[in-house]
Amino acid sequence: MTFLRFVGSERTMQPGKIICLGRNYPEHAREMKAEVPAAPVIFLKPASALLEPGGIVRIPSFSNELHHEVEMVLLIGKQGKDISLELAMSYVDGYAVGLDMTLRDVQAEAKKKGLPWSVSKGFDTSAPLSPFVAAQAVADPHALDISLRVNGVIRQHSNTRNMLFRIETMLAYISSVFTLEPGDLVFTGTPEGVGPAQPGDVLTAELQNVGSLTVTIGRRD
Ligand code: MG
């Protein structure tokens, strides 16, 4: 994916860095047998991980366990550092639905050895992303149904009201570490129900009032 796209508009934008929240839904932290964090847990994916709707998520040869994580995605519209809670929402330019595709076996090995998650989370095609809807068109981003189907069967279903950290808190925290810039993306964490996706599977992610995203699973040649 070279450019970010928008629903009902010819506008395009170059993607910047991708910041992802971990364990931002308490039920997902529990299913991973991980602590519910006291402060946001963040990691990065490279922009080269983005995948267009309709694309193929390609499992690298060194993994045998690809998991789906459906997430609401924020588009940052302006530069900001040390953003206050009060002004945080004004930095959100749009909303999309995305998938934080994860090589769970590679991640588990990295966790065990205390190594970074870059390979398990940032491999090519690990970040499928729908087009963005303008922020003004989404009345309350903290009250949206979010779901993921595998071959038509519902696997993840929650609501963004169940997020542990609200968008304001995420952006205040993230911008205390990284300067946010236009085109940066925030993957806001996944609800419970993560699980395997096999070659040939069709994944459909949906975010209420925002849209849907379908990808298929394959292997790298
Ligand atoms: Mg995730």
Side-chain angles (χ1 to χ4, degrees):
M1 177 185 283
T2 318
F3 293 107
L4 305 176
R5 298 189 185 284
F6 297 83
V7 174
S9 159
E10 291 300 299
R11 181 184 168 207
T12 59
M13 200 168 178
Q14 192 138 22
K17 57 186 169 293
I18 305 174
I19 301 120
C20 305
L21 273 277
R23 301 186 227 154
N24 198 35
Y25 286 76
E27 285 301 321
H28 171 61
R30 281 183 205 111
E31 76 179 347
M32 297 302 292
K33 297 181 171 50
E35 263 177 51
V36 175
V41 172
I42 57 176
F43 59 91
L44 299 173
K45 286 181 190 259
S48 50
L50 290 169
L51 179 68
E52 304 269 3
I56 301 174
V57 176
R58 297 208 179 263
I59 307 171
S61 57
F62 52 81
S63 174
N64 283 305
E65 193 183 22
L66 176 71
H67 271 201
H68 53 74
E69 297 190 357
V70 65
E71 312 200 356
M72 174 169 70
V73 181
L74 317 177
L75 171 64
I76 300 300
K78 57 183 182 184
Q79 187 175 311
K81 187 174 169 61
D82 295 323
I83 296 170
S84 67
L85 294 173
E86 293 70 29
L87 293 178
M89 295 307 289
S90 71
Y91 287 80
V92 181
D93 197 22
Y95 297 93
V97 62
L99 291 166
D100 168 17
M101 299 304 296
T102 303
L103 304 173
R104 196 68 77 197
D105 51 352
V106 177
Q107 186 196 32
E109 192 67 17
K111 283 181 178 175
K112 204 173 2 168
K113 293 181 174 168
L115 295 173
W117 292 3
S118 306
V119 174
S120 62
K121 291 286 197 177
F123 66 98
D124 286 352
T125 71
S126 64
L129 183 66
S130 78
F132 281 91
V133 166
Q136 313 87 268
V138 179
D140 184 359
H142 295 100
L144 304 176
D145 272 332
I146 185 165
S147 67
L148 187 276
R149 286 180 165 76
V150 178
N151 302 326
V153 179
I154 194 102
R155 296 292 186 199
Q156 293 187 267
H157 186 211
S158 187
N159 189 285
T160 55
R161 78 169 65 89
N162 297 320
M163 291 192 299
L164 182 60
F165 298 107
R166 289 174 57 94
I167 295 166
E168 296 91 328
T169 310
M170 290 178 210
L171 297 188
Y173 177 73
I174 293 167
S175 69
S176 75
V177 181
F178 305 116
T179 298
L180 287 172
E181 296 171 305
D184 285 353
L185 305 173
V186 179
F187 278 62
T188 58
T190 197
E192 66 279 13
V194 302
Q198 314 284 355
D201 284 349
V202 176
L203 274 51
T204 305
E206 280 188 84
L207 182 61
Q208 187 184 0
N209 297 345
V210 169
S212 67
L213 165 71
T214 298
V215 294
T216 57
I217 308 299
R219 278 213 160 265
R220 272 198 73 180
D221 300 326

